[in-house]
Amino acid sequence: MEKDTVDGDLSRIIITQEDYTISSQYRETLYERFLITTSSSDLLIIGYSLSDPDLMEIIDEAVRRKRTSFSPGRIYVLAYKPDENRALLLEQRGLRVAFGGLDDFVAALDRNASSTLTSVATDDILSFFPHLRPTTVDIPHAATLGNTDVTRMFYGSPPTYSDITNDLTFERDALALMRNYFEVDDALAVYVLGVAGVGKTTLCRQFLINAFRTGSHAWEHVEGTDLKSSLWASLAERLKTSGERGYLYVDNAHKYIREINELVDLLSASSNRCLKIVISTTLEQWSYRTKSPNLFVFGKRIDIRRLSRSEIQRLLDLFDFNSSISSLVEKEFSGFSRQERQRRLEQKCEADFFVCLKNIFSNELLDEIVLKEFAGLRKNYQEIYKTLSALEASGLKLHRQMIIRMLGIPMGDISDILNDLDGMVVENTVNKSLGIYAWSGRHIVISEIIMKSKFSAESEIADLYDKFVDLVNPTFDIERLNLMELCARRGLGRLASRDRQNSILAKIISKAPTLRVPRHRLIDNLIRMGRYERAANEIRIFESDMRADAPLLRFKINLSLERARHSAGLMTEDRITLVRNAATMSRKSLERFPDDTSLHEIYCDSGIQFMRLSGDWSVADDAIKLFHDHSADSLDPEFSRAYAKYQLKFQQIQAGT
C-alpha cells in the first residue's frame, strides 16, 4: 500500500471488486453499523478503480450518511489502480486513500498483526507460518487455478503455473541441469541468469511444477512484498524435522539480495538443505551486487542464452500440435514448411528466444520485454546500450574504440561493462595487433526496438549521426566502411529532412574526400530537392576530383531530365533539347557500362520523355532495342525483369493505356 496505511477497526469492509461485489441489502447493513458505532470504528471500502461508478456511488453514499448523522468514524478507500488526481479530491472530502491489491492489504495488516498462532491446519506447512501467506504463492494451488491465457503468455508475459500444467510451454534443456544439481546432497541454491525474454521465469516455474509433482513442497515469493528470511529459515527447520523437502523461488532476485544472502547464510550455518532456493534475474542486475560466499559454495549458476536445436524443435511441436497457440502464429511464418521454419529460427533469429517469438507472432507488445530490461540498467549502461543499438540498427559495424570515443568511457571500465552486459553486448576480435574489437548488440531486431524507443525524435538520431561523423577516424577501413553505410537508407535515410542529411553528408565528404558514396547521395538529394545549380556544381567537383562512375553518369542524365520536367519558364524546344542531351549521354554511358541496369532504365525514360515532348519514337525504339539485345546475353535475372517491365510500359503507351 503505497500512499497510506489503514489503522483502527477494520471489521466493517465493503468490497466492490468484480468477483466480490456485495448485495445492496448487506451494503445497507454495513452503512448502518458504520453510522452507529463509536469513534474507534472505521469503514474500509475496497474497489478496483476510483473511476468505477459503482465504487464512487458507495463512497458518495457513505460520505453523505456520515455528514448527516455526524458519525465520528473515518472512511478509508483501498483502490487497486492508482489514480492520484481522484485520490486528492477524495482526501479533500476527508477520506483517506491508499492504492494496492488485496495481497498488499493483507501484507500491510500482517506487519502489525499478533504473532500468536491461534489454529493450525496440519496438512499445510504454511499454516504454521501465517505471516508468509500474503507474500507466498503456493504452487500446487496456483497450478489448479485454471487461469490460462495463451494470448497473454505469447505476447510477452511469463506463463502461469496453470499454463505450464496445461502443456502450453516447451521444456528447456536447463531443466535437467537443475534437477540433477539438486540431487547433490550439499546443493542449496540455483541462480538462473540471462537477458530479458530468454525464458528464465518459465524455466524456474517448470522446475517448481516438477518438484511438487515428485512429492516436494514448492513456493514462489510474491514480487513486491517483503521476503522474510528468518521465517523461511524456521520453515526449513520444520521441513527438516518432518523429513520433507521444499523449494522457494524468488524472481528478480536482485531486489531481495540482502534477504537472500541472509537466508542462504542461515541455512548454511545450520547445515539445513531441506529448503532449497531457486532465484533468477538479469546478469547486469546480478553482477554488481554483493552476494553471500555461501551462494557460490553451495549454489550453481545456470546461464540461459540461445535456444538449442532440440528446444527449437520442441517449440515448433508446441505450435504444430496446440491449436490455441497455432491460431496466434503470424500467417506468413505458419505458411513455411517445418524445415524452413526451423532454419529461420536458427539462422535469421539466431536462436534467440525473444527474437524467435517476435518472428513467430509479429506483435509489438513483445517489445515491452526489451524495454523493461533496458529500464533496469544503470544509467551509464543505458547510454552505452542505446548508442550501440541505434548505430547498429543504422547498419554500422561498431568497435570498442568508437564507443569509447563517443561516450568517454575509461578504458579500465571495459572489462566490467562486457561482463555486466554479457548477452546484451558482444565483443569479437577484428584485428588484435591494431586493437580493433567489434561490438554488436544481442540481435538486430532488438537493436531496432531500442532505437525506435530511445531515439523517437528525428533530431536525436541526427545529433547522434553528427557526433559519430565528428569522431570517425577514416584511416581505419572499418570506419571508412561505416561512413559509406551511414549514407544508406537504414542510416541517413531515416531522416526526413534532406537539409539535415546534406549537412551530415558534407561532413562525411570533408572527412573522407575519396569516398564516392556520400558524394552520390548528396547529388541525388540536391536533384530531388530541385536545387539543380548546386547539383551541377557537385557533379563538376566530383569529375574534377575523381573519374566519373556509372552512378555519377546516371545523376548527370537525371539532372537533365528533371530540368526538362520542372524548370519554370522554358519553351518546349528547350525541354526537348535537354531530353535529347540526356538521351545522348545515356547512349554514350552504355558504351562504357553496357551491363548497368539503371543506365538502361534511364535511357528508356529519356526515350519516353522525348516521345511525349516531340512525338518522335526514335529514341525510345533505340533504348528498348538496346535493352533487349543486352537482356538476351545477361545472366542477371534482375536485368531481365527490368527489361520486361519497360517492354510492357512501352506497349501500354503505344496502346494508349
Side-chain angles (χ1 to χ4, degrees), residues 12 47 132 166 238 241 281 310-311 347-348 352 373-374 401 408 428 467 498 500 504 513 524 540 581 631 643 650:
R12 293 160 179 80
L132 289 178
N166 283 283
R238 181 165 287 276
T241 301
T281 187
S310 60
E311 286 176 326
Q347 298 179 16
K348 180 181 176 182
D352 184 291
E373 176 186 50
F374 182 92
Q401 289 299 327
N428 294 300
K467 185 176 182 180
R498 293 191 187 276
R500 193 67 192 267
I504 298 173
D524 185 39
R540 284 193 294 271
N581 290 339
S631 68
Y643 165 69
F650 276 42

Short mmCIF file of all heavy atoms in Angstrom, two decimals, residues 12 47 132 166 238 241 281 310-311 347-348 352 373-374 401 408 428 467 498 500 504 513 524 540 581 631 643 650:
data_model
loop_
_atom_site.label_atom_id
_atom_site.label_comp_id
_atom_site.label_asym_id
_atom_site.label_seq_id
_atom_site.Cartn_x
_atom_site.Cartn_y
_atom_site.Cartn_z
N ARG A 12 -15.41 -3.76 9.44
CA ARG A 12 -16.52 -3.38 8.58
C ARG A 12 -15.96 -2.96 7.22
O ARG A 12 -15.43 -1.87 7.05
CB ARG A 12 -17.31 -2.24 9.22
CG ARG A 12 -18.01 -2.70 10.50
CD ARG A 12 -18.37 -1.56 11.41
NE ARG A 12 -19.05 -2.06 12.60
CZ ARG A 12 -18.41 -2.59 13.64
NH1 ARG A 12 -17.11 -2.66 13.63
NH2 ARG A 12 -19.09 -3.03 14.68
N GLY A 47 -12.05 -1.33 -3.79
CA GLY A 47 -12.50 -1.40 -5.17
C GLY A 47 -11.34 -1.44 -6.13
O GLY A 47 -10.17 -1.29 -5.74
N LEU A 132 3.68 -15.77 6.33
CA LEU A 132 4.23 -15.97 4.98
C LEU A 132 3.15 -16.02 3.90
O LEU A 132 3.44 -15.85 2.72
CB LEU A 132 5.05 -17.27 4.93
CG LEU A 132 6.38 -17.28 5.68
CD1 LEU A 132 7.03 -18.65 5.58
CD2 LEU A 132 7.32 -16.20 5.14
N ASN A 166 -0.95 -27.15 -18.13
CA ASN A 166 -1.80 -27.42 -19.29
C ASN A 166 -0.99 -27.55 -20.58
O ASN A 166 -1.53 -27.44 -21.68
CB ASN A 166 -2.86 -26.32 -19.45
CG ASN A 166 -3.99 -26.47 -18.47
OD1 ASN A 166 -4.88 -27.31 -18.63
ND2 ASN A 166 -3.97 -25.66 -17.41
N ARG A 238 11.37 -26.86 10.19
CA ARG A 238 10.20 -27.74 10.29
C ARG A 238 10.24 -28.81 9.20
O ARG A 238 9.87 -29.97 9.42
CB ARG A 238 8.90 -26.92 10.20
CG ARG A 238 7.64 -27.77 10.34
CD ARG A 238 6.42 -26.91 10.60
NE ARG A 238 6.42 -26.38 11.96
CZ ARG A 238 5.97 -27.03 13.03
NH1 ARG A 238 5.52 -28.27 12.91
NH2 ARG A 238 5.99 -26.49 14.21
N THR A 241 12.62 -31.42 10.36
CA THR A 241 12.03 -32.27 11.41
C THR A 241 11.10 -33.33 10.82
O THR A 241 11.09 -34.49 11.27
CB THR A 241 11.26 -31.40 12.41
OG1 THR A 241 12.16 -30.44 12.98
CG2 THR A 241 10.64 -32.25 13.51
N THR A 281 17.39 -13.67 -12.33
CA THR A 281 17.49 -12.23 -12.58
C THR A 281 18.36 -12.02 -13.82
O THR A 281 18.88 -12.98 -14.39
CB THR A 281 18.08 -11.48 -11.37
OG1 THR A 281 18.00 -10.06 -11.60
CG2 THR A 281 19.53 -11.86 -11.14
N SER A 310 17.29 -28.81 -30.26
CA SER A 310 16.21 -29.63 -29.70
C SER A 310 15.12 -28.75 -29.09
O SER A 310 13.92 -29.08 -29.17
CB SER A 310 16.76 -30.59 -28.65
OG SER A 310 17.38 -29.88 -27.58
N GLU A 311 15.50 -27.61 -28.49
CA GLU A 311 14.50 -26.70 -27.93
C GLU A 311 13.66 -26.07 -29.03
O GLU A 311 12.44 -25.90 -28.88
CB GLU A 311 15.19 -25.62 -27.10
CG GLU A 311 15.71 -26.12 -25.76
CD GLU A 311 16.48 -25.07 -24.99
OE1 GLU A 311 17.15 -24.23 -25.63
OE2 GLU A 311 16.42 -25.09 -23.74
N GLN A 347 18.74 -19.48 -37.94
CA GLN A 347 19.66 -18.59 -38.65
C GLN A 347 19.21 -17.13 -38.61
O GLN A 347 19.93 -16.27 -38.11
CB GLN A 347 19.81 -19.06 -40.10
CG GLN A 347 20.41 -20.45 -40.20
CD GLN A 347 20.53 -20.93 -41.64
OE1 GLN A 347 20.45 -20.15 -42.59
NE2 GLN A 347 20.71 -22.23 -41.81
N LYS A 348 18.02 -16.86 -39.09
CA LYS A 348 17.55 -15.47 -39.11
C LYS A 348 17.39 -14.91 -37.70
O LYS A 348 17.75 -13.78 -37.42
CB LYS A 348 16.23 -15.37 -39.87
CG LYS A 348 15.66 -13.96 -39.95
CD LYS A 348 14.34 -13.95 -40.70
CE LYS A 348 13.74 -12.54 -40.69
NZ LYS A 348 12.43 -12.51 -41.39
N ASP A 352 17.68 -16.83 -30.74
CA ASP A 352 17.33 -16.01 -29.58
C ASP A 352 15.84 -16.16 -29.31
O ASP A 352 15.02 -15.92 -30.20
CB ASP A 352 17.69 -14.54 -29.86
CG ASP A 352 17.46 -13.65 -28.66
OD1 ASP A 352 16.29 -13.44 -28.29
OD2 ASP A 352 18.44 -13.16 -28.08
N GLU A 373 13.74 -4.45 -19.63
CA GLU A 373 15.13 -4.80 -19.32
C GLU A 373 16.02 -3.56 -19.40
O GLU A 373 16.87 -3.33 -18.53
CB GLU A 373 15.63 -5.85 -20.30
CG GLU A 373 17.10 -6.21 -20.10
CD GLU A 373 17.62 -7.16 -21.18
OE1 GLU A 373 17.39 -6.87 -22.37
OE2 GLU A 373 18.25 -8.16 -20.83
N PHE A 374 15.80 -2.74 -20.42
CA PHE A 374 16.58 -1.51 -20.57
C PHE A 374 16.37 -0.59 -19.37
O PHE A 374 17.32 0.00 -18.85
CB PHE A 374 16.17 -0.79 -21.86
CG PHE A 374 16.94 0.46 -22.15
CD1 PHE A 374 18.08 0.42 -22.93
CD2 PHE A 374 16.53 1.69 -21.63
CE1 PHE A 374 18.81 1.57 -23.19
CE2 PHE A 374 17.25 2.84 -21.88
CZ PHE A 374 18.40 2.78 -22.66
N GLN A 401 36.80 1.04 -29.70
CA GLN A 401 37.38 2.38 -29.63
C GLN A 401 36.38 3.46 -30.02
O GLN A 401 36.39 4.56 -29.47
CB GLN A 401 38.63 2.46 -30.53
CG GLN A 401 39.83 1.68 -30.02
CD GLN A 401 40.30 2.20 -28.67
OE1 GLN A 401 40.20 3.38 -28.37
NE2 GLN A 401 40.81 1.29 -27.83
N GLY A 408 33.08 8.61 -23.96
CA GLY A 408 34.09 8.96 -22.98
C GLY A 408 34.26 7.91 -21.90
O GLY A 408 34.43 8.24 -20.71
N ASN A 428 33.89 -9.14 -30.44
CA ASN A 428 34.66 -10.08 -31.25
C ASN A 428 35.93 -9.40 -31.75
O ASN A 428 35.93 -8.19 -32.02
CB ASN A 428 33.83 -10.56 -32.45
CG ASN A 428 32.63 -11.39 -32.03
OD1 ASN A 428 32.78 -12.42 -31.40
ND2 ASN A 428 31.44 -10.91 -32.36
N LYS A 467 27.55 13.40 -34.29
CA LYS A 467 28.62 13.10 -33.33
C LYS A 467 29.49 11.96 -33.84
O LYS A 467 30.72 12.00 -33.71
CB LYS A 467 28.01 12.75 -31.98
CG LYS A 467 29.03 12.54 -30.86
CD LYS A 467 28.33 12.30 -29.53
CE LYS A 467 29.33 12.15 -28.40
NZ LYS A 467 28.65 11.92 -27.10
N ARG A 498 15.99 16.46 -45.76
CA ARG A 498 17.13 16.33 -46.67
C ARG A 498 18.20 17.38 -46.36
O ARG A 498 19.38 17.15 -46.60
CB ARG A 498 16.66 16.46 -48.12
CG ARG A 498 15.78 15.30 -48.57
CD ARG A 498 15.56 15.32 -50.08
NE ARG A 498 14.60 14.31 -50.47
CZ ARG A 498 14.89 13.03 -50.70
NH1 ARG A 498 16.15 12.63 -50.56
NH2 ARG A 498 13.96 12.18 -51.06
N ARG A 500 19.11 18.28 -43.37
CA ARG A 500 19.94 17.70 -42.31
C ARG A 500 20.80 16.58 -42.87
O ARG A 500 21.96 16.43 -42.49
CB ARG A 500 19.04 17.18 -41.18
CG ARG A 500 19.82 16.84 -39.89
CD ARG A 500 20.40 18.10 -39.27
NE ARG A 500 21.36 17.82 -38.24
CZ ARG A 500 21.08 17.72 -36.93
NH1 ARG A 500 19.83 17.89 -36.52
NH2 ARG A 500 22.03 17.50 -36.06
N ILE A 504 25.10 16.48 -42.91
CA ILE A 504 25.94 15.37 -42.45
C ILE A 504 26.77 14.82 -43.61
O ILE A 504 27.95 14.47 -43.44
CB ILE A 504 25.06 14.28 -41.82
CG1 ILE A 504 24.34 14.85 -40.58
CG2 ILE A 504 25.89 13.06 -41.44
CD1 ILE A 504 23.32 13.90 -39.97
N PRO A 513 37.34 12.58 -48.38
CA PRO A 513 37.02 13.11 -49.72
C PRO A 513 37.14 12.08 -50.84
O PRO A 513 36.62 12.32 -51.93
CB PRO A 513 38.04 14.24 -49.89
CG PRO A 513 39.13 13.95 -48.92
CD PRO A 513 38.51 13.25 -47.77
N ASP A 524 22.23 13.27 -55.49
CA ASP A 524 20.87 12.76 -55.63
C ASP A 524 19.89 13.60 -54.81
O ASP A 524 18.80 13.95 -55.29
CB ASP A 524 20.84 11.30 -55.19
CG ASP A 524 19.49 10.65 -55.43
OD1 ASP A 524 18.87 10.93 -56.47
OD2 ASP A 524 19.05 9.86 -54.58
N ARG A 540 30.41 18.67 -61.13
CA ARG A 540 31.68 19.18 -61.67
C ARG A 540 32.83 18.92 -60.70
O ARG A 540 33.94 18.53 -61.12
CB ARG A 540 31.56 20.68 -61.96
CG ARG A 540 30.76 21.01 -63.21
CD ARG A 540 30.95 22.46 -63.61
NE ARG A 540 30.37 23.36 -62.60
CZ ARG A 540 29.11 23.78 -62.63
NH1 ARG A 540 28.28 23.35 -63.59
NH2 ARG A 540 28.65 24.61 -61.72
N ASN A 581 19.77 15.74 -74.98
CA ASN A 581 21.12 15.65 -74.37
C ASN A 581 21.19 14.49 -73.38
O ASN A 581 22.20 13.78 -73.31
CB ASN A 581 21.46 16.96 -73.66
CG ASN A 581 21.68 18.10 -74.63
OD1 ASN A 581 21.97 17.89 -75.82
ND2 ASN A 581 21.56 19.34 -74.13
N SER A 631 19.69 -7.94 -72.67
CA SER A 631 18.98 -8.88 -71.79
C SER A 631 19.13 -10.31 -72.28
O SER A 631 19.11 -11.25 -71.49
CB SER A 631 17.50 -8.51 -71.70
OG SER A 631 16.84 -8.73 -72.94
N TYR A 643 13.96 -5.33 -68.03
CA TYR A 643 13.63 -5.22 -69.46
C TYR A 643 12.15 -5.52 -69.69
O TYR A 643 11.46 -4.80 -70.42
CB TYR A 643 14.49 -6.17 -70.30
CG TYR A 643 13.95 -6.37 -71.69
CD1 TYR A 643 13.99 -5.34 -72.62
CD2 TYR A 643 13.36 -7.58 -72.06
CE1 TYR A 643 13.46 -5.50 -73.90
CE2 TYR A 643 12.84 -7.76 -73.33
CZ TYR A 643 12.89 -6.72 -74.24
OH TYR A 643 12.37 -6.88 -75.50
N PHE A 650 6.19 0.28 -72.61
CA PHE A 650 6.16 0.81 -73.97
C PHE A 650 4.90 0.34 -74.71
O PHE A 650 4.26 1.11 -75.44
CB PHE A 650 7.41 0.36 -74.74
CG PHE A 650 8.61 1.24 -74.50
CD1 PHE A 650 8.91 1.71 -73.24
CD2 PHE A 650 9.45 1.59 -75.56
CE1 PHE A 650 10.01 2.51 -73.02
CE2 PHE A 650 10.56 2.41 -75.35
CZ PHE A 650 10.84 2.87 -74.06
#
